[in-house]
Amino acid sequence: DEAKEEKNKRTRNEEDDEDKEGEPEQQEKEEVRQEKKLDSDDSQPPVDYSAYLPPLPTTPCNPDLQERVRRFLAIQSERGVSVNEQIQGNAGFRNPAFLEKMVEHFALDSFGTLLPAHVWDPHNLPSEDFVDAIEQALAERRERRERERRELSTKLLG
């Protein structure tokens, strides 16, 4: 009986080894499952994000915006199409002007915020806070310093 049992053990081990060699994809899938188990450590308590998020809005959503979102979600579910996948697959969006294209395509307010205007209103920033004004001020400063250096060197050499 021991000989038969030993032979059956060897046969099972050999079959297991053949299965492992013949199916590397299965092994990879199993490894990924094990990694996910390790990554999802249930010993940590869930994080309460409510301390970091603003309260839910009390005003109703803009009906036009709500309709646009509903339409996009309907397209996504009906056609099995994801807007994100379409964007990622479109070569036209793979460029540095991506943000500008998205703002234009979806008619977004690129300076918009979820904060109330009395807390933060990006549309009422002083003009000197924008990049164009900052670049102009830096250029004027460089020109003034260069002019002062030339005047100083003329006085010292002249």
Side-chain angles (χ1 to χ4, degrees):
D1 283 335
E2 284 183 32
K4 279 185 180 179
E5 193 174 312
E6 185 63 33
K7 185 178 177 183
N8 286 339
K9 258 189 194 178
R10 272 190 263 132
T11 304
R12 280 194 303 261
N13 287 340
E14 288 171 4
E15 287 173 357
D16 287 346
D17 289 345
E18 286 174 9
D19 286 345
K20 287 178 184 174
E21 289 172 11
E23 297 184 30
E25 292 176 12
Q26 276 304 106
Q27 285 179 330
E28 288 177 26
K29 287 179 184 177
E30 185 58 34
E31 289 172 6
V32 168
R33 279 191 212 109
Q34 293 300 325
E35 287 176 12
K36 284 183 180 178
K37 280 184 183 177
L38 293 175
D39 288 344
S40 63
D41 185 9
D42 293 335
S43 65
Q44 296 292 327
V47 177
D48 179 20
Y49 291 105
S50 63
Y52 305 104
L53 299 173
L56 292 173
T58 56
T59 58
C61 181
N62 178 332
D64 293 334
L65 178 62
Q66 199 164 7
E67 176 58 24
R68 288 170 70 191
V69 170
R70 189 203 59 74
R71 199 172 52 235
F72 280 119
L73 291 174
I75 290 170
Q76 184 172 340
S77 66
E78 288 170 7
R79 299 181 190 168
V81 174
S82 166
V83 174
N84 286 339
E85 288 174 5
Q86 279 187 322
I87 291 170
Q88 291 170 357
N90 186 337
F93 288 106
R94 293 186 197 143
N95 62 52
F98 176 75
L99 177 61
E100 291 173 25
K101 283 189 175 194
M102 293 303 297
V103 167
E104 182 181 324
H105 180 75
F106 290 108
L108 299 174
D109 178 6
S110 61
F111 295 106
T113 177
L114 294 175
L115 297 172
H118 71 278
V119 174
W120 171 252
D121 187 4
H123 297 287
N124 285 334
L125 292 173
S127 60
E128 62 267 10
D129 285 355
F130 289 91
V131 172
D132 297 340
I134 294 171
E135 287 176 345
Q136 183 180 358
L138 289 173
E140 289 171 0
R141 182 184 293 172
R142 279 192 298 272
E143 289 174 12
R144 188 181 69 240
R145 285 183 178 175
E146 184 61 34
R147 194 172 46 247
E148 289 171 355
R149 277 192 210 115
R150 281 194 303 258
E151 291 173 1
L152 184 60
S153 66
T154 303
K155 284 181 183 178
L156 291 175
L157 297 174

